[in-house]
Amino acid sequence: MKFATKLIHAGVHADPETGAIMTPIYQTSTYAQKAPGIHKGFEYSRTHNPTRTALQNNLAALENGNWALCFSSGMGAIDAVTKLMKPGDEVIASNDLYGGTYRIFTKIFENYNIKFHFTDLSNVHNLKNLINPNVKLVWIETPTNPMLNIINIEAITKICKENNIISAVDNTFASPYLQNPLNLGADIVMHSVTKYINGHSDVVMGALIGNNIQLHEKLAFIQNSCGAVPGPQDCFLVLRGIKTLHVRMERHCQNGKKIAEFLSKNNKVDKVYWPGFTNHNNHEIAKVQMKDFGGMLSFTLKNDSIENAHKFLSATKLFTLAESLGGVESLCGHPATMTHASIPREERIKSGLLDSLIRLSVGIEDIDDLINDLNQALEKC
Ligand code: P1T
Protein backbone atom coordinates (compact mmCIF):
# COMPACT_ATOMS: atom_id res chain seq x y z
CA MET A 1 0.00 0.00 0.00
CA LYS A 2 1.17 3.54 -0.75
CA PHE A 3 1.35 6.11 2.06
CA ALA A 4 -1.96 7.89 1.31
CA THR A 5 -3.80 4.57 1.27
CA LYS A 6 -2.15 3.38 4.47
CA LEU A 7 -3.26 6.56 6.27
CA ILE A 8 -6.86 5.68 5.61
CA HIS A 9 -6.86 1.88 5.70
CA ALA A 10 -3.88 0.41 7.59
CA GLY A 11 -4.87 -1.35 10.82
CA VAL A 12 -8.52 -0.38 10.44
CA HIS A 13 -11.27 -2.89 9.57
CA ALA A 14 -15.03 -2.58 9.23
CA ASP A 15 -16.67 -3.87 12.41
CA PRO A 16 -17.65 -7.53 11.67
CA GLU A 17 -20.92 -7.26 13.63
CA THR A 18 -22.32 -3.98 12.37
CA GLY A 19 -20.24 -3.04 9.33
CA ALA A 20 -19.30 0.28 10.99
CA ILE A 21 -16.35 1.59 8.99
CA MET A 22 -14.94 3.68 11.84
CA THR A 23 -13.21 1.78 14.66
CA PRO A 24 -15.53 1.99 17.68
CA ILE A 25 -14.44 3.75 20.86
CA TYR A 26 -14.07 0.74 23.16
CA GLN A 27 -14.78 2.66 26.35
CA THR A 28 -14.05 -0.21 28.71
CA SER A 29 -11.43 -0.83 31.36
CA THR A 30 -11.80 -4.61 31.38
CA TYR A 31 -13.01 -7.62 29.33
CA ALA A 32 -15.03 -10.73 30.20
CA GLN A 33 -13.06 -14.00 30.35
CA LYS A 34 -14.67 -17.43 29.75
CA ALA A 35 -12.32 -19.04 32.27
CA PRO A 36 -9.17 -17.54 33.85
CA GLY A 37 -6.84 -16.67 30.94
CA ILE A 38 -9.39 -17.65 28.23
CA HIS A 39 -10.27 -14.46 26.37
CA LYS A 40 -10.08 -12.77 22.98
CA GLY A 41 -6.68 -11.13 23.53
CA PHE A 42 -7.92 -8.34 25.77
CA GLU A 43 -7.76 -8.51 29.58
CA TYR A 44 -7.35 -4.98 30.92
CA SER A 45 -7.16 -1.64 29.07
CA ARG A 46 -3.82 -0.53 30.54
CA THR A 47 -2.33 -3.50 28.64
CA HIS A 48 -4.49 -3.52 25.48
CA ASN A 49 -7.56 -1.75 24.14
CA PRO A 50 -9.00 -2.44 20.66
CA THR A 51 -9.22 1.26 19.68
CA ARG A 52 -5.59 1.74 20.73
CA THR A 53 -4.56 -1.45 18.89
CA ALA A 54 -6.09 -0.12 15.64
CA LEU A 55 -4.19 3.16 16.03
CA GLN A 56 -0.93 1.39 16.91
CA ASN A 57 -1.24 -0.84 13.83
CA ASN A 58 -1.91 2.20 11.67
CA LEU A 59 1.11 4.10 13.05
CA ALA A 60 3.38 1.06 12.61
CA ALA A 61 2.39 0.92 8.92
CA LEU A 62 3.01 4.66 8.39
CA GLU A 63 6.58 4.43 9.68
CA ASN A 64 7.26 1.06 7.99
CA GLY A 65 7.66 -0.56 11.39
CA ASN A 66 6.21 -3.82 12.64
CA TRP A 67 5.12 -2.50 16.05
CA ALA A 68 3.90 0.74 17.63
CA LEU A 69 3.06 1.69 21.20
CA CYS A 70 0.94 4.70 22.14
CA PHE A 71 1.41 6.75 25.31
CA SER A 72 -0.65 9.39 27.07
CA SER A 73 1.75 12.12 25.82
CA GLY A 74 4.93 12.56 23.81
CA MET A 75 6.76 12.94 27.14
CA GLY A 76 5.30 9.60 28.28
CA ALA A 77 6.88 8.01 25.19
CA ILE A 78 10.27 9.68 25.83
CA ASP A 79 10.08 8.60 29.48
CA ALA A 80 9.57 4.98 28.38
CA VAL A 81 12.61 5.01 26.07
CA THR A 82 14.82 6.55 28.75
CA LYS A 83 13.69 3.83 31.18
CA LEU A 84 15.57 1.36 28.98
CA MET A 85 18.68 2.85 30.65
CA LYS A 86 20.26 1.61 33.90
CA PRO A 87 22.29 3.57 36.48
CA GLY A 88 25.76 4.25 35.04
CA ASP A 89 24.52 4.30 31.43
CA GLU A 90 25.13 7.38 29.28
CA VAL A 91 23.00 9.05 26.60
CA ILE A 92 24.11 11.37 23.80
CA ALA A 93 21.47 13.84 22.62
CA SER A 94 21.37 16.76 20.22
CA ASN A 95 21.88 20.08 22.02
CA ASP A 96 18.99 21.68 20.15
CA LEU A 97 15.86 19.81 21.20
CA TYR A 98 12.44 20.28 22.76
CA GLY A 99 12.79 21.88 26.22
CA GLY A 100 10.66 19.16 27.84
CA THR A 101 13.05 16.47 26.57
CA TYR A 102 16.02 18.39 27.98
CA ARG A 103 14.10 18.76 31.26
CA ILE A 104 13.17 15.07 31.69
CA PHE A 105 16.77 14.04 30.93
CA THR A 106 18.47 16.53 33.26
CA LYS A 107 15.91 17.02 36.04
CA ILE A 108 14.49 13.49 36.32
CA PHE A 109 16.84 10.87 34.91
CA GLU A 110 20.13 12.44 36.06
CA ASN A 111 18.81 11.73 39.60
CA TYR A 112 18.99 8.03 38.76
CA ASN A 113 22.67 8.24 37.83
CA ILE A 114 22.19 8.32 34.07
CA LYS A 115 24.55 10.74 32.37
CA PHE A 116 23.53 12.95 29.42
CA HIS A 117 25.81 14.58 26.86
CA PHE A 118 24.36 17.35 24.70
CA THR A 119 26.13 18.21 21.49
CA ASP A 120 25.54 19.56 18.00
CA LEU A 121 24.71 16.38 16.11
CA SER A 122 24.20 18.18 12.80
CA ASN A 123 27.97 17.61 12.72
CA VAL A 124 28.33 13.81 12.87
CA HIS A 125 31.94 14.01 14.14
CA ASN A 126 30.67 15.35 17.47
CA LEU A 127 29.00 11.97 18.04
CA LYS A 128 32.18 9.98 17.43
CA ASN A 129 34.08 12.11 19.95
CA LEU A 130 31.65 11.36 22.78
CA ILE A 131 31.17 7.62 22.32
CA ASN A 132 32.42 5.44 25.16
CA PRO A 133 31.39 1.93 26.37
CA ASN A 134 28.76 3.36 28.77
CA VAL A 135 26.81 5.10 25.99
CA LYS A 136 23.65 3.05 25.36
CA LEU A 137 21.31 5.52 23.64
CA VAL A 138 21.57 8.33 21.08
CA TRP A 139 18.57 10.66 20.98
CA ILE A 140 18.02 13.03 18.07
CA GLU A 141 15.35 15.31 16.72
CA THR A 142 15.39 16.33 13.08
CA PRO A 143 14.35 18.94 12.10
CA THR A 144 15.18 20.21 15.57
CA ASN A 145 12.87 22.22 17.80
CA PRO A 146 13.16 25.21 17.47
CA MET A 147 16.27 25.87 15.30
CA LEU A 148 15.23 23.63 12.37
CA ASN A 149 18.67 22.06 12.22
CA ILE A 150 18.89 18.92 10.13
CA ILE A 151 20.68 15.85 11.42
CA ASN A 152 21.87 13.14 9.05
CA ILE A 153 19.84 10.15 10.32
CA GLU A 154 21.61 7.56 8.18
CA ALA A 155 25.09 8.68 9.26
CA ILE A 156 24.13 8.78 12.96
CA THR A 157 22.38 5.38 12.99
CA LYS A 158 25.32 3.75 11.17
CA ILE A 159 27.69 4.86 13.93
CA CYS A 160 25.19 3.68 16.56
CA LYS A 161 24.97 0.22 14.97
CA GLU A 162 28.78 -0.08 14.82
CA ASN A 163 28.91 0.68 18.57
CA ASN A 164 25.87 -1.30 19.72
CA ILE A 165 23.99 1.83 20.75
CA ILE A 166 20.20 2.24 20.44
CA SER A 167 19.27 5.12 18.13
CA ALA A 168 16.01 6.98 18.68
CA VAL A 169 14.64 9.70 16.41
CA ASP A 170 11.99 12.19 17.52
CA ASN A 171 10.15 12.58 14.20
CA THR A 172 7.53 15.03 15.50
CA PHE A 173 8.47 18.02 13.30
CA ALA A 174 8.61 16.00 10.08
CA SER A 175 5.69 13.58 10.63
CA PRO A 176 5.75 10.20 8.87
CA TYR A 177 4.64 11.98 5.68
CA LEU A 178 7.99 13.76 5.28
CA GLN A 179 10.46 11.30 6.72
CA ASN A 180 10.69 7.66 7.87
CA PRO A 181 13.70 7.20 10.20
CA LEU A 182 13.36 3.39 10.42
CA ASN A 183 14.14 3.24 6.68
CA LEU A 184 17.33 5.16 7.47
CA GLY A 185 18.45 2.71 10.17
CA ALA A 186 16.88 4.08 13.38
CA ASP A 187 15.86 1.58 16.09
CA ILE A 188 13.03 3.68 17.53
CA VAL A 189 10.91 6.47 16.06
CA MET A 190 9.15 8.72 18.55
CA HIS A 191 6.24 11.07 17.85
CA SER A 192 4.43 13.66 19.84
CA VAL A 193 1.15 12.54 18.22
CA THR A 194 -0.29 15.74 19.71
CA LYS A 195 1.21 17.58 16.71
CA TYR A 196 0.94 16.82 12.96
CA ILE A 197 -0.27 13.22 13.27
CA ASN A 198 -3.44 14.23 15.09
CA GLY A 199 -3.37 17.66 13.47
CA HIS A 200 -6.37 19.28 15.14
CA SER A 201 -5.00 20.50 18.50
CA ASP A 202 -7.51 18.47 20.48
CA VAL A 203 -5.45 15.51 21.77
CA VAL A 204 -2.22 15.02 23.75
CA MET A 205 -0.54 11.70 22.88
CA GLY A 206 2.81 10.08 22.13
CA ALA A 207 3.98 7.05 20.17
CA LEU A 208 7.00 4.81 19.69
CA ILE A 209 7.47 2.72 16.56
CA GLY A 210 10.11 0.20 15.57
CA ASN A 211 11.05 -3.15 14.05
CA ASN A 212 13.24 -4.74 16.70
CA ILE A 213 11.21 -7.35 18.61
CA GLN A 214 13.35 -7.26 21.78
CA LEU A 215 12.91 -3.50 22.01
CA HIS A 216 9.17 -3.95 21.54
CA GLU A 217 9.03 -6.44 24.39
CA LYS A 218 10.97 -4.17 26.72
CA LEU A 219 9.01 -1.03 25.83
CA ALA A 220 5.61 -2.78 26.01
CA PHE A 221 6.63 -4.04 29.47
CA ILE A 222 7.50 -0.47 30.51
CA GLN A 223 4.25 0.86 28.97
CA ASN A 224 2.16 -1.68 30.90
CA SER A 225 4.16 -1.42 34.14
CA CYS A 226 4.27 2.38 34.30
CA GLY A 227 0.82 2.89 32.81
CA ALA A 228 1.09 6.08 30.73
CA VAL A 229 -1.49 4.90 28.18
CA PRO A 230 -3.97 7.01 26.18
CA GLY A 231 -7.72 6.50 26.49
CA PRO A 232 -9.84 5.07 23.65
CA GLN A 233 -11.59 8.39 22.94
CA ASP A 234 -8.24 10.04 22.19
CA CYS A 235 -7.18 7.06 20.05
CA PHE A 236 -10.39 7.45 18.03
CA LEU A 237 -9.75 11.18 17.49
CA VAL A 238 -6.21 10.47 16.26
CA LEU A 239 -7.48 7.73 13.92
CA ARG A 240 -9.85 10.33 12.50
CA GLY A 241 -7.25 13.11 12.22
CA ILE A 242 -4.62 10.85 10.66
CA LYS A 243 -6.73 10.17 7.57
CA THR A 244 -5.93 13.64 6.16
CA LEU A 245 -2.24 13.82 7.20
CA HIS A 246 -1.01 13.78 3.58
CA VAL A 247 -3.29 16.57 2.34
CA ARG A 248 -2.63 18.67 5.44
CA MET A 249 1.13 18.22 5.14
CA GLU A 250 1.11 19.24 1.47
CA ARG A 251 -0.51 22.57 2.39
CA HIS A 252 1.68 23.04 5.51
CA CYS A 253 4.73 22.68 3.26
CA GLN A 254 3.41 25.05 0.55
CA ASN A 255 2.47 27.73 3.09
CA GLY A 256 5.73 27.24 5.04
CA LYS A 257 7.80 27.86 1.90
CA LYS A 258 5.93 31.06 1.01
CA ILE A 259 6.24 32.41 4.55
CA ALA A 260 9.96 31.56 4.76
CA GLU A 261 10.50 33.48 1.51
CA PHE A 262 8.40 36.44 2.70
CA LEU A 263 10.27 36.69 6.04
CA SER A 264 13.69 36.46 4.40
CA LYS A 265 12.88 39.68 2.47
CA ASN A 266 11.43 41.66 5.42
CA ASN A 267 13.71 44.41 6.77
CA LYS A 268 12.75 43.81 10.44
CA VAL A 269 13.85 40.18 10.25
CA ASP A 270 17.44 39.10 10.83
CA LYS A 271 17.77 35.33 10.22
CA VAL A 272 15.17 32.83 9.02
CA TYR A 273 15.65 29.16 9.92
CA TRP A 274 13.97 26.86 7.39
CA PRO A 275 15.61 23.74 5.86
CA GLY A 276 14.28 24.52 2.37
CA PHE A 277 16.75 27.40 1.84
CA THR A 278 19.65 26.31 -0.35
CA ASN A 279 22.05 28.09 2.05
CA HIS A 280 20.68 26.20 5.10
CA ASN A 281 23.56 24.37 6.75
CA ASN A 282 22.27 20.85 5.98
CA HIS A 283 19.90 21.62 3.08
CA GLU A 284 21.39 18.82 0.97
CA ILE A 285 20.73 16.25 3.70
CA ALA A 286 17.17 17.55 4.17
CA LYS A 287 16.63 17.11 0.42
CA VAL A 288 17.69 13.49 0.62
CA GLN A 289 16.01 12.34 3.83
CA MET A 290 12.82 14.44 3.67
CA LYS A 291 10.09 14.57 1.04
CA ASP A 292 9.59 18.33 1.53
CA PHE A 293 10.60 20.93 4.12
CA GLY A 294 7.59 21.13 6.43
CA GLY A 295 5.53 23.89 7.99
CA MET A 296 7.78 24.81 10.91
CA LEU A 297 10.17 27.75 10.83
CA SER A 298 11.86 30.16 13.20
CA PHE A 299 13.28 33.67 12.79
CA THR A 300 15.09 36.34 14.78
CA LEU A 301 14.52 40.10 14.74
CA LYS A 302 17.20 42.66 13.84
CA ASN A 303 16.49 44.32 17.18
CA ASP A 304 17.19 41.18 19.24
CA SER A 305 15.37 41.42 22.57
CA ILE A 306 12.67 39.59 24.48
CA GLU A 307 10.62 42.83 24.57
CA ASN A 308 10.70 43.18 20.79
CA ALA A 309 9.69 39.55 20.29
CA HIS A 310 6.82 40.07 22.73
CA LYS A 311 5.70 43.16 20.70
CA PHE A 312 5.44 40.98 17.59
CA LEU A 313 3.70 38.16 19.41
CA SER A 314 1.07 40.47 20.93
CA ALA A 315 0.33 41.99 17.52
CA THR A 316 -0.52 38.92 15.44
CA LYS A 317 -4.22 38.29 14.89
CA LEU A 318 -4.38 35.04 12.91
CA PHE A 319 -1.23 33.45 14.31
CA THR A 320 -2.30 32.56 17.85
CA LEU A 321 0.33 32.86 20.55
CA ALA A 322 0.37 29.37 22.04
CA GLU A 323 2.52 26.37 22.93
CA SER A 324 2.37 23.40 20.56
CA LEU A 325 2.46 23.00 16.78
CA GLY A 326 1.28 20.91 13.87
CA GLY A 327 -2.42 21.77 13.96
CA VAL A 328 -4.41 23.12 11.03
CA GLU A 329 -4.39 26.61 12.61
CA SER A 330 -1.26 28.81 12.58
CA LEU A 331 0.49 29.32 15.90
CA CYS A 332 3.41 31.47 17.00
CA GLY A 333 5.58 31.07 20.05
CA HIS A 334 8.58 32.47 21.90
CA PRO A 335 10.86 29.51 22.73
CA ALA A 336 13.10 31.51 25.13
CA THR A 337 10.20 32.20 27.49
CA MET A 338 7.81 29.37 26.55
CA THR A 339 8.67 25.90 25.16
CA HIS A 340 12.42 26.16 25.89
CA ALA A 341 12.36 28.22 29.11
CA SER A 342 13.73 25.21 31.02
CA ILE A 343 17.02 25.41 29.06
CA PRO A 344 19.56 27.76 30.75
CA ARG A 345 20.15 30.98 28.73
CA GLU A 346 23.85 30.27 28.09
CA GLU A 347 22.98 26.77 26.76
CA ARG A 348 20.26 28.06 24.42
CA ILE A 349 22.36 30.96 23.11
CA LYS A 350 25.08 28.42 22.20
CA SER A 351 22.61 26.67 19.90
CA GLY A 352 21.50 30.00 18.33
CA LEU A 353 18.26 30.28 20.30
CA LEU A 354 18.44 34.05 20.81
CA ASP A 355 16.11 36.22 22.91
CA SER A 356 14.12 37.43 19.89
CA LEU A 357 13.71 33.99 18.24
CA ILE A 358 10.10 33.47 17.19
CA ARG A 359 8.80 30.06 16.14
CA LEU A 360 5.95 29.65 13.68
CA SER A 361 3.80 26.61 13.15
CA VAL A 362 2.35 27.51 9.78
CA GLY A 363 -1.21 26.25 9.42
CA ILE A 364 -3.28 25.51 6.34
CA GLU A 365 -5.23 28.78 6.12
CA ASP A 366 -5.18 31.07 3.05
CA ILE A 367 -1.57 32.15 2.46
CA ASP A 368 -2.46 35.80 1.69
CA ASP A 369 -4.20 36.20 5.04
CA LEU A 370 -1.24 34.65 6.86
CA ILE A 371 1.31 36.90 5.16
CA ASN A 372 -0.80 40.03 5.79
CA ASP A 373 -0.97 39.11 9.47
CA LEU A 374 2.81 38.67 9.78
CA ASN A 375 3.41 41.87 7.83
CA GLN A 376 1.27 44.03 10.10
CA ALA A 377 2.79 42.47 13.26
CA LEU A 378 6.36 43.07 12.01
CA GLU A 379 5.49 46.75 11.48
CA LYS A 380 5.01 47.00 15.28
CA CYS A 381 8.56 45.77 16.06
O1 P1T B 1 3.62 17.61 24.41
P1 P1T B 1 3.87 16.12 24.26
O2 P1T B 1 2.87 15.41 23.43
O3 P1T B 1 4.14 15.46 25.57
O4 P1T B 1 5.22 15.97 23.38
C1 P1T B 1 6.48 16.43 23.81
C2 P1T B 1 7.33 16.80 22.62
C3 P1T B 1 8.30 15.91 22.18
N1 P1T B 1 9.07 16.20 21.11
C4 P1T B 1 8.94 17.34 20.42
C5 P1T B 1 9.82 17.60 19.24
C6 P1T B 1 7.98 18.27 20.82
O5 P1T B 1 7.86 19.40 20.09
C7 P1T B 1 7.16 18.01 21.96
C8 P1T B 1 6.16 18.98 22.45
N2 P1T B 1 6.38 20.27 21.98
C9 P1T B 1 5.65 21.38 22.31
C10 P1T B 1 4.60 21.37 23.13
C11 P1T B 1 6.10 22.61 21.64
O6 P1T B 1 5.34 23.61 21.61
O7 P1T B 1 7.23 22.61 21.11
Side-chain angles (χ1 to χ4, degrees), residues 209-225:
I209 304 142
N211 278 315
N212 179 308
I213 301 302
Q214 281 91 37
L215 276 177
H216 178 236
E217 256 174 42
K218 286 183 188 168
L219 289 163
F221 181 81
I222 293 169
Q223 183 199 42
N224 187 43
S225 306

Side-chain angles (χ1 to χ4, degrees), residues 111-314:
N111 294 334
Y112 298 93
N113 197 20
I114 295 161
K115 190 170 172 187
F116 293 88
H117 304 270
F118 298 96
T119 188
D120 175 8
L121 289 176
S122 59
N123 179 348
V124 180
H125 295 289
N126 292 337
L127 175 61
K128 289 192 178 147
N129 293 338
L130 282 170
I131 286 181
N132 73 64
N134 294 331
V135 174
K136 301 285 161 51
L137 172 69
V138 168
W139 183 274
I140 62 169
E141 275 176 23
T142 180
T144 61
N145 181 2
M147 299 308 301
L148 282 304
N149 281 316
I150 299 293
I151 296 177
N152 186 335
I153 300 175
E154 205 162 17
I156 296 274
T157 59
K158 184 166 175 285
I159 298 170
C160 288
K161 279 199 173 39
E162 286 162 5
N163 291 278
N164 240 335
I165 297 171
I166 299 168
S167 55
V169 179
D170 182 337
N171 203 24
T172 300
F173 265 39
S175 89
Y177 172 82
L178 290 179
Q179 169 177 285
N180 297 121
L182 297 179
N183 293 4
L184 302 168
D187 295 313
I188 300 171
V189 176
M190 179 262 154
H191 280 283
S192 169
V193 173
T194 317
K195 310 298 179 330
Y196 286 107
I197 289 183
N198 180 54
H200 295 76
S201 304
D202 49 12
V203 167
V204 171
M205 195 188 291
L208 301 175
I209 304 142
N211 278 315
N212 179 308
I213 301 302
Q214 281 91 37
L215 276 177
H216 178 236
E217 256 174 42
K218 286 183 188 168
L219 289 163
F221 181 81
I222 293 169
Q223 183 199 42
N224 187 43
S225 306
C226 300
V229 291
Q233 171 92 28
D234 282 353
C235 293
F236 173 87
L237 284 171
V238 174
L239 276 168
R240 182 163 83 155
I242 223 165
K243 291 185 194 296
T244 54
L245 179 68
H246 52 324
V247 285
R248 285 187 279 113
M249 288 309 296
E250 264 172 34
R251 183 61 69 84
H252 282 296
C253 292
Q254 282 166 16
N255 283 357
K257 177 174 192 289
K258 288 189 180 140
I259 288 180
E261 284 162 357
F262 158 78
L263 289 171
S264 67
K265 291 186 203 119
N266 188 286
N267 61 9
K268 299 283 177 67
V269 172
D270 189 19
K271 287 204 175 90
V272 183
Y273 298 93
W274 179 65
F277 287 132
T278 50
N279 63 357
H280 179 284
N281 195 15
N282 271 342
H283 173 71
E284 289 306 318
I285 294 164
K287 252 173 51 186
V288 173
Q289 71 187 20
M290 297 173 76
K291 190 169 169 180
D292 204 336
F293 303 109
M296 294 301 299
L297 54 94
S298 295
F299 64 97
T300 50
L301 297 168
K302 285 212 174 113
N303 172 0
D304 176 54
S305 68
I306 289 185
E307 294 69 37
N308 207 29
H310 282 188
K311 266 191 215 161
F312 171 87
L313 294 163
S314 329

